[in-house]
Amino acid sequence: QVQLVESGGGLVQAGDSLRLSCAASGRTFNTYPMGWFRQVPGKEREFVAAISWSGGSTSYADSVKSRFTISRDNANTAYLQMNSLKPEDTAVYYCGAGAPYDTIKCTPHYHNWGQGTQVTVSS
């Protein structure tokens, strides 16, 4: 079992940047892929970005490509650097942890989830 805690959300203006963090505990961190998803009320959870267990592969939603960057350190934290934020990026952002040594998934089929962090972008 993996416990995940997101942080770094907040209220910013369009064009600003934020960096989200996802601190993991439990299983060995560098054995499972990580993903970032977001959700607004009344809509399904939407894929944002994912990174492989080794950190060597990444995947992004078209809507955030070239603006967001996912990364992970060798300790226990995954990050989502968000630049050039837009009002449509407003959502609760969740990080997820996948199965050990699994491939990157762009669907919300992750084993464990954090509680989410709110990102609000004003125009």
Side-chain angles (χ1 to χ4, degrees):
Q1 191 76 352
V2 177
Q3 292 76 44
L4 303 172
V5 178
E6 302 98 334
S7 61
L11 171 63
V12 297
Q13 292 188 330
D16 286 351
S17 298
L18 276 176
R19 187 174 83 155
L20 305 184
S21 298
C22 175
S25 61
R27 285 191 276 127
T28 306
F29 180 65
N30 60 357
T31 63
Y32 48 88
M34 297 290 294
W36 284 97
F37 288 73
R38 65 189 181 188
Q39 191 169 21
V40 298
K43 291 194 175 182
E44 293 185 353
R45 195 164 291 190
E46 174 190 31
F47 171 72
V48 175
I51 188 166
S52 62
W53 57 268
S54 68
S57 297
T58 57
S59 180
Y60 296 92
D62 288 342
S63 59
V64 306
K65 208 171 287 185
S66 79
R67 298 189 298 123
F68 290 11
T69 302
I70 189 171
S71 62
R72 62 192 302 161
D73 62 23
N74 292 324
N76 68 337
T77 305
Y79 303 95
L80 184 68
Q81 177 66 43
M82 305 187 296
N83 298 330
S84 302
L85 282 161
K86 304 176 181 180
E88 51 264 43
D89 294 319
T90 295
V92 177
Y93 283 71
Y94 298 89
C95 66
Y101 304 109
D102 201 358
T103 55
I104 288 177
K105 285 185 170 50
C106 302
T107 57
H109 298 127
Y110 282 69
H111 283 202
N112 303 101
W113 293 95
Q115 82 290 348
T117 185
Q118 176 71 47
V119 172
T120 303
V121 184
S122 64
S123 57

